[in-house]
Every structure is written in C-alpha cells, then in structure tokens.
Amino acid sequence: MRFPSILLGATALLGLAACAGRSVTPTTEPATAVRMSPPEADAPTSPRDALPAGFREAFAEADRRARTIAYWYQCVGTIARLRAGGTFGPAAAAPRVIYCERTDDGIPIGGVYDIDPAFRTVKRFSTVRLDGARPRYSGSIDTARVAMEAKLVSEVTRVITPAWAKLGRPFSVVPVPLAGGGMEAWAIPRATKARMFVTGGDVAYARNADGTARRIVDHTGTWTQLPLAATGPLTVTSAEREVAAVTDLVTARYHAELGREVTVFTTTIRSALVSGLDPATGARIVWQHAAKPVAR
C-alpha cells in the first residue's frame, strides 16, 4: 500500500496518511481485516527471571502505545478501501479525514469526517464497526477530543517535517489517547525501500493543557533500516538497553498479527511474542521476557 503525503492519525487520521519525505511503498500491506484481539499481557514468569526492577511496568506502557499504533496500521487501510468503495458515500465527495479507535469496551471502529482549518469543528462524521459486516456504529464519540487529536497530529507533522524531509525519512504521525484524557502523537518512521523495516527512530509529543505540544521522546539517532525477509521468524534488534523503542514493538506486533514468530532483543533483554492465554484478558499471544546472558 502506498501512503500519500497527506496528514493522518490514529483516532483522528487526517487524509490518508501523515508522512514526510518522498512517497515510498511501505514494507507490507495492512491486514485486510481488522482483528478483534483483546489487549495482550505479559506471560507469567518465574520471580527469578532476573529482569530489572520496573522493567515490566515500563515495557507494558510502551507496549500499550505499540498496540494502538499497530491497530491504526490495520484500520487505516481498511477504512481507505471502504471509502473508495462507497461505504461513506461517493468516493469523490466523501469526507477525507480517517478516524480509527478502539472503544473502552474493545470494539474496533473507524470512519471518516471533515474538519475546519482551525481544527475546532468536526463535520459529516460517519463510522462503522470493524469486527463484522461493517455495520454503522451507533455509540457516542467525543468529537471535541477527535478535533484536539487532529490538531496535535497537524502540529507535530508541521514541526518535524523539515528535518525528516532533509534526512529523507518518511513517517506517519499517529495520535495515541491515554487513560485519564491525555494524548500523545507518535512519529513512526517508515522504510524508504520495499522489503525493509526500520528500528528505532521514533519521536513523540504530548499535548499540554493549553493545547500546545512538547517533545517527550526522541530516538532520531537510533534510526536503522534493515532487510525484511518475506517469510519465517523475524528478529528485531533494538538500540535500547532494556525496553525496546515503540517503533520496534509496533513492528513486532504488526508481523505477529500476520502469523510470524517475532523476537525483540535489546542490549540486556530478550522479549518474544508467543502463543498463550491470559485468563484475565483472553489474550491469545503474550510477551515472554528473559534477561540475556552476560558475555564472559
């Protein structure tokens, strides 16, 4: 799938993509169907697993963001195809802003809308459920929040585009809503060539109370592009010491959803997505962590 250079986000996806740099073909096509997977959890391990104090909590925070972004990659392709096919009216006249979100009770939904240039008013909002035959979604949606997320995506895209364009690094900006009403926007780098993937390189901004954005993560210096085999197990080597970058976890989750075995290595930790069932959440795949042996 080719992502054009138009603003887009996860719960307020502007246009059909938020990217910078020359238009390139992403590494893989988004999944045709958006899967109704429940939130995954870490697999239980021995208390003697030698993981650093606080690792599990920090990893879970990064993984929550990665799940949101991985879902976005699935959802946006699905909604773009539905829009082109006339689900939201004639394609030439349908709203161009794409919206994707999981509701609080886990329902995957997506749709389209228009917004004014000041990012204050959402218009012509139309959404469908993505867990079945695409019926219309009838639940309530906070359009004021959608507008704020769209504004944050726009601001982050404007701020980082000059530098990323100079580096020749295409990217997508994805808003990530947080529990308690906070919101972030993550710039996730995309590969510049087919059959490649990027590790590291992500940048994140948080929305301040006054609506402005502040940078909270900058992994620009760790950007690395690697070959992606068409099939077989995938190993993602992160530049981070303990908790992998969100970009690395997005790659892991995206390809795990496509049925591949995925292992993420940081300097000190090995994390693998494995088959399992968490009785508390119903998760079908779980993270299994282990400290890497110390070289002697």
Side-chain angles (χ1 to χ4, degrees):
M1 170 183 172
R2 186 176 297 273
F3 279 42
S5 296
I6 306 173
L7 179 62
L8 98 77
T11 54
L13 306 175
L14 303 186
L16 301 180
C19 34
R22 59 189 178 85
S23 179
V24 297
T25 302
T27 309
T28 58
E29 291 287 337
T32 300
V34 176
R35 302 178 184 181
M36 186 60 178
S37 300
E40 282 78 11
D42 287 352
T45 59
S46 164
R48 297 186 299 275
D49 57 13
L51 296 176
F55 168 80
R56 290 189 179 282
E57 293 78 7
F59 187 95
E61 284 295 316
D63 190 47
R64 273 192 283 273
R65 290 163 172 81
R67 287 201 305 268
T68 296
I69 296 166
Y71 167 70
W72 171 77
Y73 275 113
Q74 288 186 310
C75 174
V76 67
T78 299
I79 295 300
R81 288 189 290 273
L82 291 176
R83 182 188 180 280
T87 297
F88 306 104
R96 297 196 61 83
V97 183
I98 296 181
Y99 163 90
C100 291
E101 181 180 31
R102 284 189 185 275
T103 64
D104 291 341
D105 51 357
I107 299 173
I109 59 176
V112 293
Y113 66 92
D114 287 329
I115 194 166
D116 67 294
F119 297 98
R120 293 176 180 171
T121 306
V122 172
K123 304 175 182 178
R124 297 204 298 158
F125 206 172
S126 180
T127 56
V128 296
R129 291 178 62 136
L130 298 175
D131 55 351
R134 313 303 191 232
R136 294 288 176 177
Y137 177 68
S138 58
S140 62
I141 298 172
D142 184 353
T143 56
R145 174 182 55 81
V146 172
M148 286 189 293
E149 291 176 351
K151 182 179 180 180
L152 180 61
V153 169
S154 175
E155 183 172 349
V156 171
T157 301
R158 176 179 54 81
V159 167
I160 72 174
T161 290
W164 285 51
K166 186 175 181 179
L167 292 170
R169 297 179 182 176
F171 63 92
S172 298
V173 177
V174 184
V176 176
L178 305 176
M183 62 182 67
E184 297 171 353
W186 285 75
I188 303 297
R190 301 201 322 272
T192 62
K193 300 178 182 178
R195 307 314 311 172
M196 304 288 283
F197 72 98
V198 175
T199 62
D202 48 26
V203 175
Y205 286 76
R207 182 181 182 274
N208 296 318
D210 63 358
T212 60
R214 72 181 185 281
R215 189 172 60 191
I216 56 173
V217 172
D218 188 349
H219 291 147
T220 304
T222 65
W223 187 99
T224 304
Q225 187 165 250
L226 301 169
L228 176 67
T231 59
L234 175 63
T235 297
V236 179
T237 302
S238 176
E240 303 306 305
R241 176 172 174 77
E242 294 178 356
V243 177
V246 167
T247 291
D248 306 330
L249 298 180
V250 170
T251 297
R253 286 204 165 274
Y254 184 88
H255 289 284
E257 283 289 332
L258 297 177
R260 298 182 71 163
E261 296 179 15
V262 183
T263 304
V264 178
F265 287 94
T266 61
T267 304
T268 60
I269 307 292
R270 173 188 183 276
S271 300
L273 279 168
V274 300
S275 297
L277 178 64
D278 185 331
T281 65
R284 295 187 294 272
I285 56 174
V286 295
W287 283 105
Q288 190 175 70
H289 306 292
K292 291 168 62 177
V294 177
R296 296 184 183 277

